[in-house]
Amino acid sequence: MATPALSHIGLAGLAVMGQNLALNIAEKGFPISVYNRTASKVDETHHRAQTEGDLPLTPHYTPRDFVLSIQRPRSIIILVKAGSPVDQTIAALSSFMDPGDSIIDGGNEWYLNTERRIQQVSSQGLLYLGMGVSGGEEGARYGPSLMPGGSYQAYSNVQNILQRVAAQVDDGPCVTYIGEGGSGNFVKMVHNGIEYGDMQLISEAYDVLRNIGGLSNSELADIFAEWNRGELESFLVEITADIFRVRDEFGEGELVDKVLDKTGMKGTGKWTVQQAAELSIAAPTIAASLDGRYMSGLKEERESAAAALREAGLKEEEQLGGVKKGIDKKRLIDDVRQALYASKICSYAQGMNLLRAKSVEKGWDLNLGELARIWKGGCIIRAVFLDRIKKAYQRNPNLASLVVDPDFAREMVQRQAAWRRVVGLAVSAGISTPGMCASLSYFDTYRRARLPANLVQAQRDLFGAHTYERIDRPGSFHTEWTKLARKSENAGVAALN
């Protein structure tokens, strides 16, 4: 009896993302072995492979059989929940693996866990990649954006496979070798932080148009669809238009109005904000989006607060009605479009600056233009203006911020009047727009040559003797501010007498 041909690659972890990525690999012509601790998931994946085109996918039910079914040097993707399940899966598989084999973790893992595992498996002679995978279930099946970091040899072993299964755009597949260590996971984490910001900004645009503009869901669907044909063309704007069109199957109206206003999260946004703080990188738009999710979780408290403040005399309807009176809907829609675009530039600028700072700290040598390129397709933040971000970093790899790229700077200056009108209207109407406000504040702070930070530093020197620098002479200085203030005060009193 002939020995079955060995698979080119293996995948362990067959939840929907794992199944879809395995089927994507098989559909591109690469025989793949699959394994899951729960046998029913293996059967389900095998059945899908047969019904979706008799794809070259082989099911396995034990770690040993699974590992030994793959040609050497073996490359095994694991797609399980981040944390201890990854360690457990590595332990189950690695005892059957040989030096030179590779493990590729495709989950949303904390980058330091990846760096720990690189060291851990190297004692067995194994190679390791931490690979960000973006695009959700559909992306995994038909073409995701892939962000592999770690062993370059491990990447080289599967480069041809990853380039075929990744999303394809005009300038190549949406995959590149990111860098050493946990760089792939870190880049995916920041990608998700930018995603948080994008989603928050879109929700604020919706809130302003609905509550100040009085637009219906049908009108909103048409507006977002129109925006998706212009500078805001992106996956998130496209799906937003679709969401407004879905009717509620259990009652009247559209489903979006029946969705509870509490947003879930898995942790990558929080990690992004924590890393920004540790590296002293301002990321206010991303932080505002995270705060927005925290506030959304306080549903019962918000309902109680609304009632308490109405009782205290807050007249929401009057406040909102005063702003809505005489509003020019056409102008409002165009203003919100411009405000959304300018705010998004600031959000992406913050994410890119965080990536650059981490790259410098870790010596990863991240190529920011190439990262923008691989996000053009497959991933959740894919957008037409990512091509322009790519070109901005190609023009100037040392670009301090997207805000000062000549093309983006011109666009932000052109849009700032509309941006300020939208934020001002929202504030007057009592509608919170934390993301747009944070972006505008970031822009205004970044563009000012002199800030009131001189007063803050003087305060620090007064109460903590932290010293300060002067604008007119070199060195560090300390002043006895209180003593001199009293002396000045007493001299003034004496002069009056």
Side-chain angles (χ1 to χ4, degrees), residues 9-325:
I9 193 169
L11 190 148
L14 298 173
V16 178
M17 281 287 288
Q19 287 188 26
N20 283 1
L21 188 58
L23 293 169
N24 183 358
I25 292 169
E27 192 169 63
K28 298 301 187 297
F30 301 102
I32 184 170
S33 293
V34 297
Y35 165 74
N36 196 84
R37 284 192 309 169
T38 307
S40 60
K41 292 289 186 184
V42 180
D43 292 335
E44 184 182 325
T45 308
H46 187 220
H47 176 71
R48 286 187 62 191
Q50 291 175 314
T51 57
E52 294 181 26
D54 198 20
L55 304 176
L57 181 147
T58 309
H60 294 277
Y61 299 88
T62 69
R64 181 181 182 278
D65 289 349
F66 167 65
V67 171
L68 297 182
S69 71
I70 305 162
Q71 67 184 23
R72 295 177 61 184
R74 303 180 183 93
S75 296
I76 297 176
I77 299 171
I78 55 176
L79 270 169
V80 299
K81 189 177 179 182
S84 59
V86 177
D87 293 310
Q88 293 163 12
T89 305
I90 291 170
L93 301 178
S94 61
S95 57
F96 305 107
M97 298 175 73
D98 296 300
D101 290 351
S102 304
I103 295 171
I104 305 166
D105 176 18
N108 276 332
E109 187 56 271
W110 176 234
Y111 82 101
L112 288 177
N113 284 342
T114 293
E115 298 197 335
R116 169 178 61 80
R117 290 174 187 135
I118 288 172
Q119 297 302 317
Q120 178 187 319
V121 303
S122 67
S123 62
Q124 295 175 248
L126 301 179
L127 310 178
Y128 199 91
L129 282 177
M131 181 172 71
V133 179
S134 180
E137 297 171 8
E138 185 174 338
R141 180 65 182 86
Y142 300 108
S145 176
L146 300 172
M147 295 153 258
S151 164
Y152 185 75
Q153 183 59 55
Y155 173 70
S156 298
N157 293 345
V158 290
Q159 182 175 0
N160 63 325
I161 297 177
L162 299 183
Q163 288 180 338
R164 289 285 302 282
V165 304
Q168 307 293 314
V169 291
D170 57 352
D171 49 6
C174 293
V175 60
T176 192
Y177 175 69
I178 301 297
E180 296 180 349
S183 58
N185 294 119
F186 194 91
V187 167
K188 175 56 163 54
M189 177 197 77
V190 175
H191 162 286
N192 286 17
I194 294 170
E195 179 185 310
Y196 272 50
D198 255 2
M199 295 170 76
Q200 176 68 28
L201 293 169
I202 289 170
S203 75
E204 292 173 16
Y206 153 64
D207 202 8
V208 170
L209 291 175
R210 183 187 62 170
N211 286 303
I212 297 179
L215 300 176
S216 67
N217 288 326
S218 175
E219 290 173 311
L220 287 164
D222 291 342
I223 288 163
F224 275 87
E226 182 183 338
W227 287 354
N228 195 49
R229 292 189 287 271
E231 64 189 9
L232 288 169
E233 181 187 334
S234 63
F235 173 73
L236 286 170
V237 169
E238 177 188 348
I239 66 169
T240 300
D242 290 341
I243 286 168
F244 290 128
R245 298 189 196 281
V246 177
R247 304 283 297 178
D248 179 18
E249 62 179 317
F250 299 112
E252 294 296 314
E254 287 78 31
L255 179 58
V256 67
D257 294 328
K258 309 293 173 58
V259 176
L260 183 67
D261 53 322
K262 288 174 71 170
T263 306
M265 66 191 109
K266 292 186 175 178
T268 46
K270 180 178 73 173
W271 291 346
T272 303
V273 173
Q274 288 173 332
Q275 281 292 296
E278 287 191 16
L279 290 163
S280 300
I281 297 297
T285 311
I286 299 171
S289 71
L290 186 65
D291 287 341
R293 294 195 183 200
Y294 292 150
M295 293 289 283
S296 79
L298 303 176
K299 176 67 173 175
E300 294 76 16
E301 282 188 46
R302 288 187 286 111
E303 289 175 334
S304 298
L309 291 167
R310 272 196 300 271
E311 195 174 316
L314 182 65
K315 295 180 173 60
E316 295 172 85
E317 291 78 12
E318 270 183 41
Q319 191 176 23
L320 183 58
V323 173
K324 289 176 71 172
K325 197 176 296 180

Side-chain angles (χ1 to χ4, degrees), residues 110 276 427 469:
W110 176 234
V427 170
E469 296 175 88

